[in-house]
Amino acid sequence: MQHFKIKPGVPLAEQPELGHNRWHPDLPFLASVKPGESILIESLDFLDAQIKDTDDVSDVKNVDLTRAHPLTGPFHVEGAEPGDLLVIDLLDIKPVTPVGFSGVFAKENGGGFLADYFPEADKAIWDLKGLYATSRHIPGVRIAGLTHPGLMGCLPSHELLAEWNRREAPLAAKGLAKPPDPSTAVLRGLTGAKFDEMAKVAARTVPPREHGGNTDIKDLSAGTRIFFPVYVKGAGFSMGDLHFSQGDGEIGFCGAIEMDGVSHVGFDLIKGGMAKYNITSPIFMPSIVKPHYEQWLTFEGISVENGVNYYLDATVAYRQACLKAIDYLTHFGYTGSQAYMLLTAAPVEGRIGGIVDIPNCACTVALPTSIFDQDITPKGMLNDKSYWGRKG
């Protein structure tokens, strides 16, 4: 079996033969695989080895986000042509080092979903031991891992790349999207004039797009099958940004328990699958394997923020649900920043409760109570004789 290895702790620019951190249709392939074959793909953490196992948050505060995400690939899939569907089976996903991290970016350097409420940088280092993660920076918590890749996709066509740059340019001009940035680009196998030409237009890896990309779906664990549209000959599959655990939405941006990891990946093709099934973006069949938690504490938010009523705004409603959960956890000894990092690193469940009851959308975020050493459920006069008959 082919095994593509990283050098943990070494930035992608110092091992450029491994992969790339920008999307472009002309990237040279790393290797070729056949339908029916499986391989082992190692990936660097999404911040390209910038975060260290220390108590000092300056590495998160001063992180260079233009280096995200170091991807391993692209892989040429024999027989793949534009219009096909690439079938990816995630057979197994594991860390390759025993340490992961999560954090909060400073508002002036990336921010996050709650940047207006938590503008200062922070981080948590996690010890990864078997099925569980614990952190000296968020004590009293043990999280069962749901390992998954945050980022996977196939290379875009020239036409699709041009479309991305066209439609994202107005947002980039307002600081709401990330334009091409040659300064820290790594394009596997390229140097000189060809590198310069491609780096000027190669797309950043920050958002999800039609080809897949940075979807950050926590349930894509071992046992998942994914169908990717193929836009170039050979497909050009790449992956990275592996997570040990993550909550729905990855609200902290640096919010998952990020890790260097290895994925066992299987390949297949559906010839002409895009037209046959009318598919222009990925379809996911998430794994049935996930941590089992019996009791959850669910917080609701509505689309009202700072006295303003927003019309059916799910973003505002989910933000309010997250803030309510964070406020609640501060009653149990956690700082707001610790609760924020916990909410984004733990496998919380986010839901749209109602999207039709004008004018307010309702969203919820549910937190598994058994990840805590202490009982965090509210208590009435009956306490342990409550309806549930058990502690959290």
Side-chain angles (χ1 to χ4, degrees), residues 100-114:
F101 67 87
S102 57
V104 177
F105 292 134
K107 184 176 180 180
E108 66 271 17
N109 186 25
F113 189 50
L114 304 180

Side-chain angles (χ1 to χ4, degrees), residues 48-109:
D48 196 28
Q50 296 183 74
I51 309 305
K52 307 304 180 185
D53 181 6
T54 69
D55 300 331
D56 182 2
V57 303
S58 62
D59 50 4
V60 173
K61 180 179 179 179
N62 301 316
V63 70
D64 183 354
L65 290 174
T66 67
R67 288 167 55 180
H69 301 79
L71 305 180
T72 304
F75 291 94
H76 175 272
V77 181
E78 293 186 19
E81 298 175 316
D84 295 344
L85 289 177
L86 176 63
V87 183
I88 292 293
D89 285 315
L90 300 178
L91 304 174
D92 199 9
I93 305 161
K94 295 180 178 179
V96 296
T97 63
V99 175
F101 67 87
S102 57
V104 177
F105 292 134
K107 184 176 180 180
E108 66 271 17
N109 186 25

Side-chain angles (χ1 to χ4, degrees), residues 98-353:
V99 175
F101 67 87
S102 57
V104 177
F105 292 134
K107 184 176 180 180
E108 66 271 17
N109 186 25
F113 189 50
L114 304 180
D116 289 339
Y117 300 87
F118 298 95
E120 303 297 326
D122 204 351
K123 79 174 180 183
I125 299 298
W126 296 86
D127 295 314
L128 312 179
K129 296 180 180 179
L131 295 177
Y132 294 97
T134 57
S135 174
R136 64 184 183 270
H137 297 120
I138 309 178
V141 171
R142 187 176 74 154
I143 296 175
L146 185 61
T147 53
H148 61 279
L151 200 160
M152 296 173 285
C154 297
L155 294 180
S157 64
H158 283 277
E159 294 77 13
L160 188 56
L161 175 61
E163 172 64 9
W164 292 349
N165 286 333
R166 181 201 65 78
R167 73 189 186 204
E168 292 175 18
L171 295 174
K174 299 176 183 178
L176 301 176
K178 301 298 182 183
D181 184 344
S183 65
T184 53
V186 178
L187 303 176
R188 207 204 75 77
L190 293 169
T191 57
K194 185 63 174 177
F195 173 93
D196 294 339
E197 175 189 348
M198 289 171 53
K200 291 178 182 178
V201 297
R204 300 281 293 279
T205 59
V206 176
R209 300 184 179 96
E210 294 89 336
H211 71 141
N214 194 25
T215 53
D216 289 320
I217 300 172
K218 71 173 175 53
D219 296 308
L220 304 185
S221 54
T224 293
R225 172 167 286 186
I226 309 167
F227 305 88
F228 288 103
V230 174
Y231 291 101
V232 302
K233 186 175 182 179
F237 175 78
S238 298
M239 68 183 301
D241 185 23
L242 299 189
H243 302 160
F244 187 84
S245 176
Q246 178 207 298
D248 281 338
E250 197 186 10
I251 61 172
F253 189 11
C254 183
I257 299 179
E258 311 286 347
M259 67 179 190
D260 295 335
V262 56
S263 304
H264 185 191
V265 179
F267 295 82
D268 199 2
L269 283 174
I270 300 176
K271 300 299 294 179
M274 289 179 68
K276 181 178 181 180
Y277 295 106
N278 198 24
I279 291 175
T280 56
S281 59
I283 291 180
F284 307 93
M285 295 177 64
S287 171
I288 62 171
V289 176
K290 60 176 61 179
H292 179 68
Y293 295 106
E294 291 186 350
Q295 186 173 328
W296 300 73
L297 205 55
T298 300
F299 301 84
E300 180 191 33
I302 60 174
S303 52
V304 176
E305 191 167 67
N306 297 325
V308 178
N309 210 135
Y310 295 88
Y311 180 75
L312 297 182
D313 192 322
T315 300
V316 172
Y318 194 56
R319 180 160 53 235
Q320 290 303 308
C322 292
L323 288 169
K324 291 177 187 300
I326 291 169
D327 286 345
Y328 182 85
L329 289 174
T330 62
H331 291 286
F332 295 89
Y334 296 101
T335 67
S337 183
Q338 285 176 318
Y340 182 18
M341 289 190 291
L342 178 58
L343 203 64
T344 188
V348 304
E349 298 281 353
R351 296 287 186 271
I352 294 178

